[in-house]
Amino acid sequence: MSALSFLNRSPDRRRLLLIYAGVLLAALSSLATGLRAEPGEHESRQSTAAPTPLLRVAALIDPTTDLAYADVLNRADEFSAIEDPPHNFGITGSAVWLRLEIDHRSRDADSSTGESPADFDGWLELAWPYIDTIDYYEFDDAAPGGFEDRTIPETRQAKYATGRSRPYDTRPLDHRFFVFPIQLQPGESRTIFLRIKSDTFLMAPLRLVSRDAFAFDREIEGYTLGAYYGMLLVVFFYSLFIYSSLRESAFLSYCGYVLCLAIYQLCVNGIAYRFWPDATLWNKYSLPVFLTLLMLAAMDFIRRFLSLRKTDPLLNRIWLLFGCLALALLAAVYVYYPTVKYLINAATFFLVLAFITGVRSWRLGNHSARWFMVAWLAPIVGFLVQLSGTYGLVPGWSGMIYAGQFGTALELVLLSLAMADRINDLKKEQQSWNLRLENQVRQRTVELNTALNEIHRESELHRIELDIAAGIQKGIMPASETQTQRARAVTYLQSLAPVGGDYFDVFEFKDTGHTAFLMADASGHGIPAALITTMAKICFMDATRNQGPNPREILLAVNDAIARLIKTHEYLTAAMLIVGPEGEAKYASAGHRRSFHYRRAGHAVDSWDTEGILLGIYENDVIPAHITQHEAPVSPGDRFLMFTDGFTDVKNGSDERFGEDRLIQLLAETAAQDLDQARDNILDVWREFQRHGSRDDDCTFTLIEF
């Protein structure tokens, strides 16, 4: 059962859409729950047994990107304290040094219990996956005095050197963010320096979190992302199923959009790096590449879903221009810094244009565009919220990085309704087409019945005419068994059509006692060839009366007569044998296949062949006809075989010709048999040979015994 016929059943359709919408809403609810659980302050959820140490952050901007760790330690007074997370530095080509002062001694005792704080064993999380390089240094805080009084080492290697432009295994923990282990005893403090640099937005959402709280957050994060990508998977395969049944290109295009969205979100969430852990350069460029591909896939879906080529050619051209712009940005992605800036502008323009396209299509009467228009509001709002958090326009960071992801999830739910509307529209369109088709079929049936009756009448008339023509052609030829004064001939003739172009005849010269045997083959098949043989019959009758028992002169006369009568470049091949009362024989051929003479005295087969032109091509006075003549005696008991090319050109199942050699062999093998039996045996072998093969010409042969 096809998808459309299934959806046409109202109870099944409602049940399917409820299940589908339920899966999407459950996934969306799970995503929202995960976003609410994302911590947003410096201090994460902790158990009461292990309070989170105090974290103070200060930053130093390095425009030259040349400052080393020792240089930074000498500029302690140039650091500026950062009060509000998520420490947004915007798009900058500078390196940023962060000084993290972690104090576990400021909370000497729990104010409610009076107990000393427990050891802290946890993580320092930097929740921004787009940082190219991170160098992690730990400063020794064991010496007395303040930070400014510490001894400064001249050189120091970073404890951790990681980032998205470095191999994945350089991360202390296998995680999509950058996470570093921290262990502190009660009363201990530590200073950490982080050098971070990125060619895109540079942010530093930092937090200290215990191992238990981090594990809990990671579990929630796994459920949230699993629900989101599971929803994308459900939408992808559901749309693929609909496409496989409806063959509607919009559903296949939607599958491409969902697939690109999933890969792009894997890059946004920092998960995709696990699939290419050593491809550091590709990891850096994958985000803008897949963002561009996502816009191209969405553009193709919008154009197909709203049928812009038919309904709104202007917007269709605008979208094509946008696609060219996106391809240009993709080609320029190697210049990473400006590309990111332009891609963000292009993405903003894309979302606005998608919404405008939905509004315009709805106003033009596209029923499916109403849900489409509402659906694109969700990613627009999510993208603006995420962009506001990225630029620091909105205070606080909790969940803003996921705003675009939440918007796309809501978009998929709303687009599922738009796709359901599309299916309903296809159903109505199908019903309309079915009704129109039924009317057309009914009208065409009447027309076809009328035409068929006319064709049947004409076919019956044509059959009658062919039967008459076949009777006429049969009447102008001698019987299949012909007895003359000095010879007996048996003939087999089979045409492809009721009438054909093969022609056999016998003429007797009463005054001289000669007998002429003629085998001719007109070019082509069917009625045209039959007309030529009828004309040839008249020409040969006239030539035998006027030229006497001379085959060469007879063929020349027939050539001249046919050439004057036929102007369509048709022609005729012919071979004539004339036998006199004393056994003298004369033979001439005009482009015909050779004939075979079996001599009983020597039990041998001779081949008779002469040179000669095709009959009817040119008149004799235009180009002098060249026909030679062969003379030899024949004896009582001798046999003579004449045939057309169709007889020897038949093929078997292996595409092998019957050929003249087999015919010569059969003529010799059947020489001891009577004439009728010899003919039948030759035909049996010939029929068996071409039983699984084919023939494409009229077939005739005549066996003469003197």
Side-chain angles (χ1 to χ4, degrees), residues 20 23-24 27 225-240 255 258-259 262 412:
Y20 180 54
V23 171
L24 298 184
L225 296 178
Y228 177 76
Y229 291 109
M231 177 177 64
L232 293 182
L233 195 64
V234 169
V235 172
F236 176 81
F237 283 107
Y238 176 78
S239 301
L240 193 62
C255 290
V258 173
L259 180 62
L412 293 179

Side-chain angles (χ1 to χ4, degrees), residues 137-160:
Y137 300 88
E138 283 189 357
F139 188 82
D140 185 9
D141 285 6
F147 171 76
E148 291 78 3
D149 298 332
R150 309 293 164 85
T151 302
I152 299 174
E154 293 183 1
T155 59
R156 179 78 179 270
Q157 296 294 327
K159 184 175 182 179
Y160 302 109

Side-chain angles (χ1 to χ4, degrees), residues 276-294:
W276 45 78
D278 296 321
T280 57
L281 185 62
W282 168 243
N283 187 53
K284 179 177 179 179
Y285 286 92
S286 59
L287 184 63
V289 168
F290 285 114
L291 175 57
T292 305
L293 293 178
L294 174 62

